[in-house]
Amino acid sequence: DIQMTQSPSSLSASVGDRVTITCRASQSVNTYLNWYQQRPGKAPQLLIYAASSLPSGVPSRFSGSASGTQFALTINGLQPEDFATYYCQQTYTSPRTFGPGTKVEIK
Amino acid sequence: QVLLQQWGAGLLKPSETLSLTCGVSGESFSDYQWSWIRQPPGKGLEWIGEINLGGTTNYDPSLQSRVTISIDRSKNQFSLKLNFVTAADTAIYYCARATDFWSYYLDSWGQGTPVTVSS
């Protein structure tokens, strides 16, 4: 199975900050790497797919990048509604494993 | 706009079978794959498995001996069964649609069904 790690596990930030979350795969997943946002009490929502593509309706302050087996999610200009938990997921192969999550909290 | 609505029993006793169904409306059922994910209380997301329209399934190895995902094309529904549940299976269970075109991602999710296993 491909193992996914994320760092940090949590962070505190202020509205307007630039935030970067990192996800690493234990082996190559090509660009089959997605990011999901989960607000408290809600179902996850797709944020980034194929490492760097934004679904329709996702604000442009969110961006994704890839370098080998390391991936990053960046939020440029954190907004109040962005305080949530973020998960990466590899879908290169089954089982399609999730990272442990990164909780973004208000400073 | 696709809508995934899920239902099933929310309270089970140990050794019983968890059974959930996800109904899909609003868009074509046939162009996607269909997945189940769960989230134990206070923890992260766990991928359970998936099924395509042809009925081919993939499961997480840790659950493979107990899980069955099936599909009913005539009703635009897919289902999850998990046998011999224990307290460790207590979680919110989500169904989701997977788009598998040039990439693969879960782009629509159900509302989640809390399932508690307790004697």
Side-chain angles (χ1 to χ4, degrees):
Chain A
D1 299 359
I2 297 177
Q3 308 302 317
M4 307 300 294
T5 57
Q6 285 183 235
S7 61
S9 57
S10 65
L11 64 89
S12 295
S14 301
V15 172
D17 283 353
R18 183 174 190 259
V19 167
T20 298
I21 299 167
T22 298
C23 173
R24 186 184 296 271
S26 61
Q27 62 191 75
S28 175
V29 298
N30 201 322
T31 56
Y32 284 76
L33 190 286
N34 310 311
W35 291 95
Y36 302 89
Q37 177 192 64
Q38 187 178 34
R39 297 187 176 109
K42 301 294 186 183
Q45 289 186 295
L46 180 67
L47 200 61
I48 299 280
Y49 67 95
S52 60
S53 296
L54 259 66
S56 174
V58 172
S60 59
R61 63 180 179 273
F62 293 96
S63 63
S65 63
S67 177
T69 59
Q70 183 159 308
F71 301 85
L73 169 69
T74 298
I75 311 172
N76 277 301
L78 201 62
Q79 296 299 300
E81 60 268 29
D82 302 336
F83 293 95
T85 301
Y86 295 84
Y87 296 93
C88 62
Q89 183 201 23
Q90 68 81 18
T91 53
Y92 183 67
T93 189
S94 177
R96 305 191 196 270
T97 41
F98 288 92
T102 296
K103 187 174 184 178
V104 176
E105 299 175 302
I106 302 173
K107 183 182 285 185
Chain B
Q1 184 82 0
V2 67
L3 180 64
L4 280 68
Q5 291 185 296
Q6 48 184 114
W7 62 89
L11 181 61
L12 298 171
K13 290 181 168 47
S15 81
E16 291 184 334
T17 296
L18 179 156
S19 182
L20 299 174
T21 298
C22 185
V24 180
S25 61
E27 288 188 17
S28 170
F29 188 66
S30 59
D31 295 334
Y32 301 93
Q33 300 203 44
W34 305 96
S35 302
W36 288 97
I37 300 96
R38 69 181 183 178
Q39 186 170 35
K43 297 189 177 180
L45 302 171
E46 299 178 355
W47 185 82
I48 298 172
E50 65 192 7
I51 190 167
N52 66 16
L53 198 67
T56 300
T57 54
N58 289 307
Y59 300 127
D60 184 271
S62 68
L63 298 172
Q64 183 145 11
S65 63
R66 298 192 292 131
V67 67
T68 302
I69 297 176
S70 58
I71 195 165
D72 186 336
R73 300 165 200 77
S74 67
K75 295 182 179 179
N76 282 13
Q77 295 175 357
F78 62 108
S79 298
L80 170 71
K81 289 190 187 301
L82 183 65
N83 299 326
F84 304 110
V85 297
T86 70
D89 296 311
T90 293
I92 298 174
Y93 286 75
Y94 294 101
C95 61
R97 184 181 79 173
T99 291
D100 182 13
F101 182 42
W102 60 274
S103 189
Y104 189 106
Y105 46 91
L106 304 175
D107 62 357
S108 295
W109 294 64
Q111 79 275 20
T113 300
V115 175
T116 301
V117 180
S118 174
S119 55

